[in-house]
């Protein structure tokens, strides 16, 4: 059954769609009155039947609602130091398929990529949000994971450390007590996990210290050097597996 | 210390390098006699000192050798139905960083991408091997994982099923007994695992039946639909974590 995301809650058991999605339902899908369609919002599926078309809208009546089966039980937020090129897009696409709840980019000391001025930053964020929407649609998510830019490292650090399990991916640990398997039980029982990964140059020692002082748990992914876009993808897969969500 | 891969074993405690790598050592790195350098082959590190330069070669004496720390204890071979576009490159790059031992591509019933004629196929394979070499260098592997094309589905199926734990990624299972966490113990104790993932269209029922008859263990990655290139990356990360190699 075709699935679409809605931004606002249903009103009186009805969902009315405008714009691109309405065009898509009417023209590309050639849907008719009585056809079934699913709308998703915040992890909930609304099963509907089309009741009416206008020139630019589609009205649907909800006949059933239920939590989206595909939504993970754990809320995983990724804090990612802005990478170069199109790596942010790769991370968003793969991590949303794998179940990430929210993806926040920030600039760290060693970031080569920058948000740029207000205009550039807004257009970059708009593009990334579009990729998030596409990935959420394609993978059958029950919500569109938020993508956000955090203006400073300090703010990102603050929010990251406020989760119940903030995992900081830091390569200069070199100590087996920081390996992921040691943290399996904590991960399995957490409802709210955040992961922070560095840019191409990793984190500075000062940044790592600031974060651990605020409560971040350092993790070390072993001897192989992972690219900055591979680490969050691998961690999302592993966390979803440990929490029974893959 | 700079690291290079060698194809042939050392002779009488010496390693002599020709071609591109020799040029790189002499010119780009501006190495001198007495400088230290590491050569890797089949999971072993050879720690050497440069003894002599000629116009097109560098001779090095081994002063110590040891297993490469970064090599996983488990041998994971990925059998991947040829994907479209540059997805094969993404899979190779990420899975080698994460620790895959070998990556085999094959054509399945629903593959849109094809190896093409002998000439096309050879040039494609050459390009993919180059990406494997780069990924192995960048991530500090102790060997260059092989990349191969298997000419038929039957041959790929035969080899895939000959491993001690052949895991077939199949989306039409829909039964929790096939979820990965159920297989954690088997994965943790296996020394030799193979994973098979489908192309954009997945596997046909006939293919899945053929494989399970030969002993493949079906796995189901849950309700979210993963892109064909995301599944092998996620599985490599998860298997490396379960086996203590991440």
């Amino acid at each position: 059954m075709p699935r679409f995301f809605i931004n606002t809650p249903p009103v009186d058991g009805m969902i009315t769609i405008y714009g691109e999605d309405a065009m898509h339902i009417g023209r590309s899908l050639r849907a008719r009155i009585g056809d079934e369609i699913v709308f998703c919002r915040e992890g909930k599926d609304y099963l509907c039947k089309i009741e009416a078309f206008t020139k630019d809208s589609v009205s649907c009546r909800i006949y059933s609602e239920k939590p989206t089966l595909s939504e993970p039980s754990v809320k995983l937020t990724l804090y990612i130091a802005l990478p170069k090129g199109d790596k942010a897009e790769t991370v968003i696409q793969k991590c949303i398929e794998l179940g990430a709840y929210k993806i926040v980019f920030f600039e760290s000391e060693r970031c080569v990529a920058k948000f740029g001025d207000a205009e550039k930053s807004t257009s970059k964020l708009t593009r990334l949000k579009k990729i998030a929407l596409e990935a959420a649609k394609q993978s059958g998510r029950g919500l569109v994971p938020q993508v956000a830019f955090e203006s400073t490292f300090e703010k990102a650090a603050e929010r990251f450390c406020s989760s119940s399990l903030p995992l900081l991916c830091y390569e200069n640990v070199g100590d087996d007590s920081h390996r992921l398997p040691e943290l399996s039980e904590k991960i399995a029982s957490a409802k709210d996990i955040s992961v922070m990964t560095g840019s191409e140059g990793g984190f500075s020692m000062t940044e790592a210290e600031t974060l651990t002082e605020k409560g971040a748990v350092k993790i070390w992914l072993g001897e192989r050097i992972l690219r900055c876009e591979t680490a969050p993808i691998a961690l999302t897969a592993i966390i979803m597996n440990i929490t029974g969500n893959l």
Side-chain angles (χ1 to χ4, degrees), chain A:
Chain A
M1 223 184 295
R3 293 170 65 88
F4 292 88
F5 288 106
I6 48 171
N7 296 322
T8 50
V11 178
D12 297 333
M14 291 292 291
I15 292 170
T16 304
I17 298 298
Y18 301 86
E20 256 184 56
D21 280 349
M23 299 269 281
H24 186 60
I25 293 168
R27 296 193 190 168
S28 316
L29 299 179
R30 296 187 190 185
R32 315 232 158 170
I33 287 171
D35 281 2
E36 295 191 346
I37 206 156
V38 184
F39 292 100
C40 304
R41 184 172 182 269
E42 291 180 3
K44 202 179 258 185
D45 282 4
Y46 298 94
L47 286 72
C48 301
K49 278 189 182 170
I50 298 178
E51 227 175 56
F53 288 98
T54 70
K55 199 174 146 246
D56 58 358
S57 77
V58 184
S59 298
C60 308
R61 182 168 300 279
I62 299 167
Y63 67 87
S64 172
E65 58 180 79
K66 52 178 189 184
T68 314
L69 264 179
S70 64
E71 275 311 304
S73 57
V74 67
K75 286 195 175 174
L76 171 63
T77 303
L78 303 169
Y79 291 84
I80 296 173
L82 193 69
K84 288 195 285 181
D86 58 2
K87 292 175 203 164
E89 303 179 14
T90 307
V91 169
I92 289 174
Q93 191 186 69
K94 307 295 176 235
C95 292
I96 286 181
E97 291 170 42
L98 289 165
Y101 177 72
K102 185 173 175 178
I103 303 172
V104 180
F105 293 94
F106 61 95
E107 289 177 8
S108 69
E109 216 179 296
R110 298 187 185 158
C111 276
V112 176
K114 301 283 171 201
F115 292 145
D117 58 28
E119 195 183 329
K120 268 194 182 163
S121 163
T122 307
S123 96
K124 204 177 271 181
L125 187 57
T126 306
R127 198 180 67 246
L128 295 181
K129 284 183 177 194
K130 202 173 161 194
I131 286 160
L133 174 65
E134 288 309 318
K137 277 185 186 170
Q138 183 269 335
S139 58
R141 293 288 301 263
L143 50 81
V144 186
Q146 285 175 58
V147 177
F149 284 176
E150 196 63 85
S151 58
T152 66
F153 172 74
E154 289 65 33
K155 281 189 190 166
E158 206 64 53
R159 297 220 176 166
F160 162 63
C161 290
S162 72
S163 94
S164 59
L165 186 56
L167 301 172
L168 169 64
C169 200
Y170 189 53
E171 68 278 27
N172 298 325
V173 184
D175 169 353
D176 280 348
S177 69
H178 294 281
R179 300 290 281 258
L180 264 188
E182 301 295 318
L183 290 160
S184 285
E185 278 180 37
K186 276 191 183 173
I187 291 172
S189 60
K191 285 281 160 242
D192 164 31
I193 301 175
S194 58
V195 160
M196 186 177 272
T197 60
S199 65
E200 290 79 6
F203 290 109
S204 72
M205 208 182 282
T206 319
E207 286 171 335
E209 273 169 20
T210 307
L211 291 161
T212 40
E213 272 165 24
K214 285 182 194 291
V217 179
K218 280 190 255 182
I219 52 171
W220 179 48
L221 293 177
E223 301 284 350
R224 289 183 302 284
I225 298 148
L226 300 184
R227 280 169 195 263
C228 63
E229 76 274 24
T230 309
I233 300 172
L235 282 164
T236 303
I238 291 166
I239 289 169
M240 289 300 156
N241 183 57
I242 292 175
T243 55
N245 287 298
L246 253 190

